[in-house]
Amino acid sequence: MLADRWSFLVLREALLYDVERFAEFQQRLGIATNVLTDRLDHLVEAGVLERTEYREPGSRARPAYVPTSAGRDLEVVLGALQQWGDEHAPREDGPTMVRRERGSSAPLRVGFLRDGDSSVPLEQVEFARS
């Protein structure tokens, strides 16, 4: 589902910048029409975006692409990738986006949590086959 950079970029636009319309994806990403069509179709088939319709006054109905709950869960993945980039490949002019809590604006980090929501330091995390 997320095997190429265009899929990640389309999801970034949809999840972090609330982009829904084909033309806006195309303009913001500079992506070819056929590639964008393919990626949007693929993300809809994968269940992370949902195709809905919108209609500008006096125009025909057009598709809009909105994240599903499965798609919104990918914000954690995008946040983790962004956090990694901020730490290991920082931009000279600083991060393009920060992660913070709604309401308090407290800074947030992506991490691993135990049941009960206490955090686990990365050096204590191991991956094991089930």
Side-chain angles (χ1 to χ4, degrees):
M1 153 185 9
L2 301 176
D4 64 278
R5 77 179 188 108
W6 286 120
S7 293
F8 277 103
L9 293 173
V10 168
L11 283 172
R12 178 196 66 191
E13 297 300 314
L15 293 168
L16 304 183
Y17 299 112
D18 298 321
V19 173
E20 296 181 352
R21 298 177 179 185
F22 188 96
E24 193 174 3
F25 281 114
Q26 190 173 32
Q27 177 202 19
R28 291 177 60 93
L29 296 173
I31 184 174
T33 303
N34 63 323
V35 175
L36 179 56
T37 298
D38 181 65
R39 294 318 180 275
L40 288 169
D41 287 347
H42 185 71
L43 292 168
V44 168
E45 289 170 17
V48 296
L49 291 180
E50 175 179 44
R51 191 177 287 116
T52 62
E53 285 190 352
Y54 73 95
R55 182 187 305 265
E56 295 285 340
S59 297
R60 66 179 174 84
R62 296 181 183 269
Y65 300 88
V66 296
T68 63
S69 62
R72 284 188 298 279
D73 285 348
L74 287 169
E75 286 183 24
V76 175
V77 175
L78 293 177
L81 288 170
Q82 179 193 38
Q83 180 174 292
W84 182 91
D86 292 346
E87 293 175 12
H88 299 285
R91 296 168 47 103
E92 269 188 40
D93 55 347
T96 57
M97 187 171 282
V98 295
R99 295 161 305 281
R100 61 183 184 201
E101 186 175 10
R102 279 192 182 98
S104 73
S105 294
L108 296 174
R109 293 188 47 77
V110 178
F112 289 93
L113 303 176
R114 290 182 189 92
D115 286 342
D117 294 336
S118 61
S119 64
V120 178
L122 190 56
E123 57 273 2
Q124 295 298 315
V125 175
E126 67 179 26
F127 290 84
R129 292 183 182 208
S130 57

